[in-house]
Amino acid sequence: MEWFWYLMVFVFGAIIGSFLNVVIYRFNTGKSLEGRSHCLSCGHTLSWYELIPVVSYLGLRGHCRHCHASVPARYIFVEVGMGILFVLFWMSFSHVLPLFALYAISSAILVVIFVHDLRHMIIPDSLVVALGIVALVILSYITWSTGGGYMVALEHIGAGLGAGIFFFAFWFFSKGRAMGLGDAKLAIPLGIIVGPLGAPAMIIGAFWVGAIVSLVILAFQKVAGTGKTQLPFLRTPLKMKSEIPFAPFLILAFWYVVLFHADIYTLINLFVF
Ligand SMILES: [Zn+2]
């Protein structure tokens, strides 16, 4: 029966992802979260069977049933992504329900930041503040459950400030070219959660993911030949000096550190045989 629970957790994550798609679409547009979902092209109100996460998208092959306009691929990515994340957190924290819930909430906020930064190259302050509050609750739980007292709390807060200062320096000395100020702010709550051993691993991991993804995109454009981006989420072709949204890399590295309990020693061990 174990698989049944995993399926339920996946479905739960996909439903949250479906709701987050609405949040992502309506965020900073002044539109409220209330009101029925509708097709963005023809305005047709979606019925209940067109709103089933993942299933509806696949069943209609990513098109509106009425006008056949295509639904952005991010809808299914966010739904499936949240489903998978919830399952992974469930595997990691199933014996500690509060941690599962807290990481699920933090990741819901992170997914919105992830997509918003990809689309608009901006990390909204309000979301970082919300994440900060969740980070402090997670820290309280860690401090309480390890019995580590205020030393543990101070270490984690120090890790958050350290990570923030690191990216702030990057932003400052590159005059905003290598890194946005938003990345520095985002690093603070993430650093608070992963703590002093996890934070360096998260930062190094973010640069690795960033380098790999950038090289893949550059190579892809080279093969495509035109220098024109083939990737729907980048508005202009990527160049060596392009401004790239960095938050997605930081968030992926954060998930890696949390899910695999990675820290700076695990990263060092990757190179020491
Ligand atoms: Zn339509």
Side-chain angles (χ1 to χ4, degrees):
M1 283 304 277
E2 188 117 319
W3 63 268
F4 175 79
W5 289 110
Y6 284 122
L7 182 67
M8 285 297 106
V9 172
F10 178 86
V11 169
F12 180 54
I15 291 171
I16 301 289
S18 186
F19 168 71
L20 291 174
N21 273 320
V22 180
V23 177
I24 288 166
Y25 172 64
R26 299 187 187 183
F27 195 82
N28 277 355
T29 57
K31 296 190 186 79
S32 81
L33 288 175
E34 290 148 42
R36 298 285 303 272
S37 293
H38 53 84
C39 169
L40 305 184
S41 289
C42 68
H44 158 70
T45 304
L46 301 178
S47 18
W48 65 268
Y49 56 86
E50 289 164 296
L51 287 168
I52 306 165
V54 185
V55 178
S56 297
Y57 189 94
L58 295 178
L60 297 165
R61 291 195 186 81
H63 292 276
C64 170
R65 202 166 59 88
H66 286 250
C67 68
H68 304 288
S70 63
V71 179
R74 74 159 188 279
Y75 280 81
I76 185 123
F77 276 114
V78 168
E79 288 172 357
V80 172
M82 281 309 276
I84 293 174
L85 263 179
F86 273 41
V87 168
L88 292 173
F89 283 134
W90 186 252
M91 288 161 84
S92 266
F93 300 114
S94 63
H95 51 299
V96 214
L97 214 54
L99 277 183
F100 169 77
L102 287 167
Y103 278 103
I105 294 168
S106 69
S107 294
I109 300 171
L110 285 172
V111 164
V112 181
I113 294 177
F114 191 111
V115 179
H116 204 271
D117 195 34
L118 267 185
R119 294 174 75 201
H120 308 292
M121 306 280 287
I122 288 168
I123 304 173
D125 282 340
S126 56
L127 294 176
V128 176
V129 170
L131 187 67
I133 293 165
V134 180
L136 291 177
V137 178
I138 292 179
L139 178 56
S140 313
Y141 188 89
I142 294 172
T143 309
W144 169 76
S145 65
T146 57
Y150 71 95
M151 272 312 290
V152 169
L154 282 180
E155 281 172 12
H156 278 249
I157 287 170
L161 293 178
I165 290 167
F166 177 84
F167 286 113
F168 178 82
F170 240 91
W171 169 78
F172 186 79
F173 290 112
S174 75
K175 297 188 178 69
R177 275 195 294 269
M179 202 68 63
L181 189 55
D183 300 308
K185 294 182 206 162
L186 174 64
I188 299 171
L190 297 182
I192 289 176
I193 296 175
V194 295
L197 295 178
M202 177 179 77
I203 292 170
I204 295 168
F207 282 107
W208 284 354
V209 178
I212 292 166
V213 170
S214 303
L215 285 175
V216 167
I217 295 178
L218 284 171
F220 195 83
Q221 286 175 177
K222 200 96 188 159
V223 171
T226 53
K228 197 169 161 284
T229 178
Q230 306 291 312
L231 298 160
F233 54 84
L234 287 175
R235 258 172 292 151
T236 51
L238 184 67
K239 299 193 188 71
M240 267 306 178
K241 280 188 285 182
S242 292
E243 193 186 348
I244 338 170
F246 192 76
F249 306 139
L250 195 57
I251 293 168
L252 286 173
F254 166 78
W255 282 328
Y256 166 75
V257 167
V258 168
L259 288 169
F260 296 95
H261 308 288
D263 56 31
I264 188 62
Y265 297 116
T266 26
L267 278 201
I268 292 169
N269 282 334
L270 285 177
F271 295 99
V272 183
F273 298 102

